[in-house]
Amino acid sequence: MMSLASLKSGIETLDIATSSGSSGSTSLDSPMSTASRNIPQFAFDFDKLRRNMDAFQARFDAFIAEDRKRILEDRNEFEKEITEAKEQEQKMSNQIEHYKEKEAELAHESARERQEVQETESSIADFTRKKQDLTILRDAVVAQILETQSILDKKRAERSQDRAKFLAQSSLNAPELAFWEKNLGLRIEGFDDDQLKIVFTLISESAWSREYYVVMDLSDPDYEVLRCEPQLEKGVLDGMLTRLNESRDFGRFLKDVRNAFKESGL
């Protein structure tokens, strides 16, 4: 494609040639010049064409410069956008790495929480089993307590009956006890709650006032000797207690104890 500069140069060459032909026709009358007279002459304003071409060239150059400026600005804008896109990409990459770390932390936390839930569920199941075992044990203990309470109530009732019988018998034996205290040296004292102290004298010929005694426990249905002074042989004392608990004959027991002290020689 012919440039504007080449076109301009061609027009100038054509203008020079035309001018030379016009000047030569005045001095030389050749057949060619004779023939050129017969060619129609055109009025062509090359100066105007040149001015128009110059103006077009200026506009064209301005357009090219403006286009270059626009392209440069677009390129700068594009590079700026590329830079911002890269920065944005880097930020997004950093965010992705951050979220990946968060995801890993959450996964670890979730796994830890699942393990804690499993351990808690296991502990709850263990405590539930222990609670069931304790409930069964508590029911058994409550049943045993009720049974023991029933036995104690029964024994208390029996003891109350024995005490009533003993008191009734004591009132009946009051004259006999008074005779024993006066003539046989026998005295019965309250020693402690549900306890009696039975004191004997007139046993030792060398010391008629010496006291021999036993302390009886009346809190249970079966009588028990808590203390004996002086101490009798265990077999002899156990035998007398056995006969007393079987026969409930307290008068016979007093006679047996007095004879045991006398026969012991203590």
Side-chain angles (χ1 to χ4, degrees), residues 98-115:
H98 174 72
Y99 288 129
K100 284 183 178 179
E101 292 177 358
K102 284 291 185 182
E103 182 181 6
E105 291 177 0
L106 290 175
H108 178 71
E109 184 69 18
S110 178
R112 187 180 64 83
E113 290 179 355
R114 285 196 299 270
Q115 182 178 0

Side-chain angles (χ1 to χ4, degrees), residues 200-212 258 261-262 265-266:
F200 298 92
T201 58
L202 304 177
I203 292 178
S204 175
E205 295 179 358
S206 60
W208 294 108
S209 61
R210 178 183 176 184
E211 294 185 352
Y212 297 72
R258 183 180 182 84
F261 278 137
K262 189 172 184 178
L266 297 174

Side-chain angles (χ1 to χ4, degrees), residues 100-139:
K100 284 183 178 179
E101 292 177 358
K102 284 291 185 182
E103 182 181 6
E105 291 177 0
L106 290 175
H108 178 71
E109 184 69 18
S110 178
R112 187 180 64 83
E113 290 179 355
R114 285 196 299 270
Q115 182 178 0
E116 290 180 353
V117 169
Q118 292 176 355
E119 292 176 353
T120 303
E121 290 177 349
S122 178
S123 298
I124 291 173
D126 187 34
F127 284 132
T128 301
R129 289 192 297 270
K130 289 182 178 179
K131 180 181 178 181
Q132 292 174 351
D133 294 340
L134 290 175
T135 301
I136 295 173
L137 179 60
R138 182 199 63 187
D139 294 341

Side-chain angles (χ1 to χ4, degrees), residues 1-15 46 49-50 53-54 56-57 60-61:
M1 180 180 292
M2 183 180 294
S3 66
L4 293 178
S6 299
L7 180 60
K8 182 178 180 182
S9 177
I11 293 172
E12 290 176 350
T13 302
L14 180 60
D15 188 18
F46 285 100
L49 177 61
R50 186 180 299 110
M53 293 296 295
D54 290 340
F56 177 78
Q57 180 70 33
F60 186 78
D61 290 342

Side-chain angles (χ1 to χ4, degrees), residues 16-266:
I16 294 172
T18 305
S19 299
S20 298
S22 299
S23 62
S25 63
T26 59
S27 61
L28 184 61
D29 191 6
S30 63
M32 182 64 69
S33 61
T34 302
S36 63
R37 292 190 189 98
N38 297 324
I39 298 174
Q41 298 296 319
F42 297 97
F44 194 82
D45 191 351
F46 285 100
D47 292 333
K48 184 178 180 180
L49 177 61
R50 186 180 299 110
R51 288 193 300 274
N52 292 336
M53 293 296 295
D54 290 340
F56 177 78
Q57 180 70 33
R59 290 194 303 272
F60 186 78
D61 290 342
F63 172 77
I64 294 299
E66 183 67 23
D67 191 61
R68 287 179 178 175
K69 180 180 178 182
R70 183 180 58 78
I71 292 174
L72 181 61
E73 290 177 352
D74 291 343
R75 185 180 66 182
N76 292 337
E77 184 67 22
F78 177 73
E79 290 179 352
K80 180 180 177 181
E81 292 178 355
I82 290 295
T83 302
E84 292 178 353
K86 288 183 178 179
E87 292 177 355
Q88 188 68 21
E89 180 183 5
Q90 184 63 35
K91 289 181 181 179
M92 293 180 66
S93 178
N94 293 336
Q95 289 181 354
I96 290 173
E97 291 298 326
H98 174 72
Y99 288 129
K100 284 183 178 179
E101 292 177 358
K102 284 291 185 182
E103 182 181 6
E105 291 177 0
L106 290 175
H108 178 71
E109 184 69 18
S110 178
R112 187 180 64 83
E113 290 179 355
R114 285 196 299 270
Q115 182 178 0
E116 290 180 353
V117 169
Q118 292 176 355
E119 292 176 353
T120 303
E121 290 177 349
S122 178
S123 298
I124 291 173
D126 187 34
F127 284 132
T128 301
R129 289 192 297 270
K130 289 182 178 179
K131 180 181 178 181
Q132 292 174 351
D133 294 340
L134 290 175
T135 301
I136 295 173
L137 179 60
R138 182 199 63 187
D139 294 341
V141 170
V142 169
Q144 185 175 2
I145 290 173
L146 292 176
E147 182 181 0
T148 304
Q149 186 68 38
S150 177
I151 293 173
L152 290 176
D153 292 341
K154 183 178 180 180
K155 287 186 176 182
R156 287 193 185 100
E158 293 176 353
R159 186 182 67 181
S160 298
Q161 293 175 1
D162 289 340
R163 285 176 60 85
K165 290 179 181 179
F166 178 77
L167 292 175
Q169 185 66 32
S170 296
S171 62
L172 294 176
N173 295 335
E176 184 177 358
L177 289 175
F179 173 79
W180 283 13
E181 289 180 2
K182 181 179 180 181
N183 299 290
L184 301 179
L186 173 65
R187 186 175 74 253
I188 299 178
E189 302 174 352
F191 186 75
D192 202 349
D193 291 343
D194 297 327
Q195 294 180 8
L196 290 178
K197 181 179 181 182
I198 303 172
V199 182
F200 298 92
T201 58
L202 304 177
I203 292 178
S204 175
E205 295 179 358
S206 60
W208 294 108
S209 61
R210 178 183 176 184
E211 294 185 352
Y212 297 72
Y213 68 88
V214 291
V215 177
M216 304 292 298
D217 183 9
L218 308 179
S219 61
D220 290 330
D222 290 340
Y223 297 112
E224 182 180 359
V225 175
L226 299 178
R227 189 172 177 183
C228 180
E229 184 65 33
Q231 183 65 43
L232 296 173
E233 293 182 3
K234 188 175 185 308
V236 174
L237 190 58
D238 290 343
M240 291 187 294
L241 277 174
T242 301
R243 288 192 296 272
L244 171 62
N245 290 321
E246 289 177 353
S247 64
R248 316 304 291 182
D249 188 351
F250 204 77
R252 174 63 183 274
F253 174 74
L254 296 177
K255 294 178 181 179
D256 291 342
V257 172
R258 183 180 182 84
N259 291 332
F261 278 137
K262 189 172 184 178
E263 292 176 358
S264 66
L266 297 174

